[in-house]
Each structure stands twice: as C-alpha cells, then as structure tokens.
Amino acid sequence: MENTENSVDSKSFKNLGTEIIHGSQSVGSGICLDDSYKMDYPEMGLCIIINNKNFDQSTGMSPRIGTDVDAASLREIFMNLKYEVRNKNDLTCEEILELMRNVSKEDHSKRSSFICVILSHGEEGVIFGTNGPIDLRKLTILFRGDYCRSLTGKPKLFIIQACRGRELDCGIETDSGTDDEMMCQKIPVEADFLYAYSTAPGYYSWRNSTHGSWFIQALCALLKMYAHKLEFVHILTRVNQKVATEFQSISEKSEYHAKKQIPCIVSMLTKELYFYH
C-alpha cells in the first residue's frame, strides 16, 4: 500500500531548477550510435498508463487521492515526447493482465520503444488491481524477447509508483550495434528492460493528495527539463536526488512525520537511451 501525507504539500529543501548540465552531448555531437538505442523508427512507441485510484472494499485499500494528477502529468510529458499514450483507469487484476497480454501481441516493429506506467498500491514484487494483488512478473514477462519479438533489442521501460513494503525511511543527517548486427546476434531474453521504482525494496512510497506522488512529480519535472538533453538513466539519477533531497513527509502522526524516500533504478538496458535522435 501507499502512504499519504496529511499536509497540503511536501516540504521542499532546495531548488534544483538552476542546475547546470555538464558534459551532456547530443547524438550529433559525439555520441557513438552503436552505444545508443535506435530511436528513429517511424513511431517513438506506445505508453500505457494504468491509473488505479479506487479499490474494492474487500481489499481494505484506501482511494489513492492525488493519482489523477500523476496520470495527467505523465500523459502530457510522454505525448510531448511523441509517444502514443493510452490511459486506463481502475482496472482489476484480470483486466490488467488482459491489457498487457493484448499489448504484447501488437506489432511494435515500427516503434522505437515501449513504456508502461503503473500507479497503484503495492507490496514487494506485487501491484494491486482494484480487486486484489497481482505479481508484477506476470505482466513484465509478456514483453521478454522470446514472447514479444517485435520489441526484441528495443528498450522496455516500466515505471512503478507503488509501495514495496511497510518500512519507513527516517533519513540520516549528512555533512553535506547496428540493425544488421542485431539480426545475427543472440541476446538474453531479459535484456533491454528498465524498472524505475518509486521507492526502495521494502519501503512505503509517499503521495501528496494535492500534487501527486513525490516520485512522479520529480520524474515529470526532470523529463520536462532534460528529455532532449540527457540520457534516461542519467535523468533517473537526478530524479533520485530530487526525491531524496527535496521531499519530506509532514504528518500530525509522529510515526509518519519527517520521513524520507529514495527511488530505485533496476536496469537491464544494453545501450544508452535518448528520447531524441
């Protein structure tokens, strides 16, 4: 499940908006194309946003107030990046599985990549449909290289805004290849996946009822700033920094007050990913 703040907004500690990009290069200014994914297919790709806000009473899960803000922000960001965005709201486990199965069977041969965003309650390795939990692995496996051939060798991004456990982070004070090569090359079926989790394994994920979740707020802000300048994993690293340093919970309940959060990047990408070409 997710934890929400009682406050109207997150506590901000510093403004990263004045950061200077050091050493960033465009593909045309020195990046080796063999080291980056081909992103000049006729279409950028499909972006599925599963936004679960309301849950069956039997699950004991509370409504995820603020998630619609996340869904709208994500839709705007990825549409601006030229993705075909499909928003799906309040899906059961069965509906999520059917959706993902159908999408995996589509012809992605003219698409550069695939993105799936899941906004829901969760536990470690599990996300919630409106009627209960489903193993995340059952969804992602459908896009493996041996199951979804038209996405083989292409980046498959899963962005997960959900809790991964019940631990709370109290924080700590500090001092301060070419296409021809791909046709004849054997690659692992688990290659080219990236999982961007809102929080570390075992921990709560925080969401603000007015402004949306910390992670999605940061992700959208930094994609807007850097999607045409930086490689995606570099952007996600800045997202980690932003969430870790700019957000802290404010709650009337002492056990939920002054808590922190760190997102988690799990990458099996084999090349650098730029949202431009």
Side-chain angles (χ1 to χ4, degrees):
M1 59 196 309
E2 267 180 325
N3 222 339
T4 55
E5 303 169 89
N6 291 339
S7 64
V8 173
D9 196 4
S10 310
K11 185 175 181 181
S12 177
F13 288 93
K14 68 176 183 177
N15 180 8
L16 298 185
T18 57
E19 285 182 299
I20 299 174
I21 304 173
H22 296 289
S24 62
Q25 294 178 298
S26 67
V27 171
S29 62
I31 291 175
C32 178
L33 292 177
D34 289 342
D35 293 332
S36 61
Y37 286 105
K38 172 181 168 64
M39 298 298 285
D40 59 353
Y41 285 87
E43 303 171 22
M44 279 293 288
L46 180 61
C47 174
I48 300 293
I49 300 175
I50 299 172
N51 178 31
N52 280 357
K53 177 180 180 179
N54 303 296
F55 297 81
D56 291 351
Q57 187 174 1
S58 61
T59 65
M61 297 292 177
S62 59
R64 300 181 59 255
I65 307 301
T67 189
D68 292 337
V69 177
D70 285 345
S73 297
L74 289 160
R75 180 178 179 83
E76 179 182 2
I77 286 292
F78 287 114
M79 285 186 68
N80 286 340
L81 291 175
K82 308 304 181 184
Y83 279 86
E84 175 190 346
V85 180
R86 300 179 193 170
N87 287 75
K88 303 293 181 179
N89 297 321
D90 289 344
L91 300 185
T92 65
C93 296
E94 294 77 17
E95 289 170 336
I96 293 173
L97 187 57
E98 180 182 13
L99 169 66
M100 299 296 273
R101 185 180 290 116
N102 290 339
V103 169
S104 72
K105 292 178 180 178
E106 291 187 25
D107 182 4
H108 298 266
S109 58
K110 294 183 179 180
R111 297 167 176 165
S112 300
S113 57
F114 172 71
I115 299 174
C116 177
V117 183
I118 300 177
L119 311 171
S120 189
H121 288 301
E123 297 173 359
E124 181 58 35
V126 167
I127 60 98
F128 275 79
T130 57
N131 61 341
I134 183 171
D135 191 335
L136 182 61
R137 177 72 174 166
K138 289 184 178 180
L139 308 179
T140 61
I141 197 173
L142 297 170
F143 296 88
R144 280 185 3 177
D146 52 345
Y147 292 150
C148 185
R149 297 302 300 271
S150 59
L151 280 173
T152 300
K154 300 177 181 179
K156 296 163 279 283
L157 314 178
F158 287 83
I159 299 170
I160 314 296
Q161 168 56 47
C163 285
R164 303 179 70 186
R166 298 179 180 274
E167 290 188 62
L168 293 167
D169 191 333
C170 297
I172 186 71
E173 296 294 332
T174 61
D175 296 328
S176 53
T178 68
D179 290 345
D180 289 340
E181 289 175 342
M182 290 301 298
M183 291 180 66
C184 63
Q185 185 179 27
K186 190 173 183 179
I187 62 173
V189 296
E190 301 284 359
D192 304 303
F193 280 83
L194 181 141
Y195 302 91
Y197 294 96
S198 61
T199 193
Y203 282 86
Y204 271 117
S205 185
W206 290 89
R207 172 175 32 84
N208 181 274
S209 59
T210 301
H211 300 290
S213 63
W214 297 357
F215 174 61
I216 299 300
Q217 285 183 61
L219 176 65
C220 289
L222 292 179
L223 278 173
K224 186 174 183 179
M225 293 173 66
Y226 298 126
H228 296 290
K229 299 176 183 179
L230 295 179
E231 195 272 335
F232 186 49
V233 175
H234 292 174
I235 294 174
L236 290 178
T237 302
R238 295 193 180 207
V239 171
N240 282 4
Q241 180 192 39
K242 188 176 181 72
V243 173
T245 60
E246 289 195 26
F247 294 91
Q248 181 169 296
S249 66
I250 301 174
S251 176
E252 295 177 356
K253 298 181 179 180
S254 59
E255 64 268 32
Y256 295 120
H257 184 66
K259 303 305 178 184
K260 304 290 289 181
Q261 180 177 319
I262 182 69
C264 178
I265 309 164
V266 179
S267 176
M268 280 82 82
L269 296 183
T270 57
K271 295 185 177 183
E272 296 172 353
L273 173 57
Y274 299 89
F275 289 113
Y276 56 91
H277 54 84

